[in-house]
Amino acid sequence: MKSAVTISLVPEAKGGPFVFWDDLEAGCGQASQLGFDAVEIFPTSAESLHVKEVRNLLARHHLQLAAVGTGAGWVKHKLRLTDPDPAVRQRARAFASGLIAAAGELGAPAIIGSMQGRCETEPHRPRVLEWLGEALEELSGQSAQFNQVLLYEPLNRYETDVFTRQGEAAAFLGHLRSKNVRLLCDLFHMNLEERSIADALRDAGPLVGHIHWADSNRQAMGFGHTEVAPIVAALRTIGYSGYLSAEVLPLPNGIAAAQQSVASFRHWTSPS
Ligand code: LER
Ligand code: MN
């Protein structure tokens, strides 16, 4: 498994669970100095992410790109892939598509999290699932052109009512024609929604594509009360070799959260 840390470049996401903020160069410098393998970036848009510059920056700091988030599509631009307005859905797909291309050129997958939207009321659910399915088919097809998967992230009930548990999301993905979508399993959301985080990871098996490495209170792993041993055992059982990416609140500050994240990563992944 590999370590990663989040960098948000989206002012509208302030207060959100990101370790480093606003300055990609500074964030990469800190991540590299602390010994992370990679960074996960949340840009404001594809246009703001200059692929050549980012490639040089990552190379200079000996970092990989773990993933690129599309959350600004919702947080900043109010675009949802399941919006009732077809024009908004179209703009949402175009926004995500731009980030898939930028991430793809940098050798990373993109994440569909908050852009999935909400059903709001039960009668809307079938249509929302249809729109989400269509969007995931199209966007994961585009991801494949870059030899990347598309990451779909179930969120907790306060952020979405589309899919909050991995098992339900896995069943939904199983009905798609595209086999190029993987689950982003965020341990903070899972702590709120799953009966057992370890069982959910084991059941999802090869569909697990990425992990958000956050404790029960969304602070760095070790600053809350998540029982980590069974989770790591489950990840080993399914042969997971991807990222444990620290998407956590910068508490007590970004550096301390990053230090704790990398320490917990080493503690739980070093051969015993
Ligand atoms: C939001 O709660 C979250 O976990 C992000 O990874 C999704 O944009
Ligand atoms: Mn997450």
Side-chain angles (χ1 to χ4, degrees), residues 84-227:
D85 181 343
V88 175
R89 293 202 299 279
Q90 191 47 46
R91 290 212 302 281
R93 280 201 216 183
F95 179 88
S97 167
L99 283 174
I100 287 168
E105 286 180 41
L106 291 162
I111 300 167
I112 301 298
S114 50
M115 283 197 79
Q116 70 191 274
R118 291 172 190 260
C119 303
E120 311 283 6
T121 64
E122 198 51 35
H124 284 149
R125 187 166 181 83
R127 274 194 307 169
V128 163
L129 295 191
E130 198 179 312
W131 292 329
L132 178 65
E134 286 168 8
L136 293 180
E137 297 277 11
E138 181 185 307
L139 296 173
S140 64
Q142 190 201 352
S143 306
Q145 294 169 13
F146 296 93
N147 286 321
Q148 296 297 328
V149 296
L150 181 67
L151 297 170
Y152 168 71
E153 180 175 17
L155 305 172
N156 75 68
R157 66 190 68 183
Y158 305 107
E159 296 185 39
T160 193
D161 56 5
V162 178
F163 290 114
T164 54
R165 287 191 293 270
Q166 307 299 327
E168 297 169 345
F172 175 73
L173 297 183
H175 289 113
L176 299 182
R177 285 185 307 281
S178 168
K179 298 301 163 212
N180 199 39
V181 186
R182 298 287 179 280
L183 293 168
L184 194 176
C185 304
D186 181 318
L187 301 180
F188 165 75
H189 298 310
M190 293 179 79
N191 176 65
L192 286 164
E193 299 295 346
E194 304 287 351
R195 260 184 85 168
S196 154
I197 297 177
D199 286 351
L201 291 169
R202 259 191 301 273
D203 291 347
L207 273 181
V208 177
H210 195 76
I211 299 287
H212 277 161
W213 182 243
D215 212 322
S216 52
N217 51 5
R218 218 170 203 182
Q219 293 192 39
M221 191 60 89
F223 284 172
H225 58 75
T226 294
E227 219 188 310

Side-chain angles (χ1 to χ4, degrees), residues 45-66:
S45 66
E47 293 71 35
S48 68
L49 202 64
H50 302 290
V51 168
K52 234 169 122 181
E53 282 171 30
V54 177
R55 188 180 290 128
N56 289 338
L57 184 60
L58 294 171
R60 212 162 51 243
H61 291 291
H62 309 288
L63 289 167
Q64 302 292 309
L65 184 59

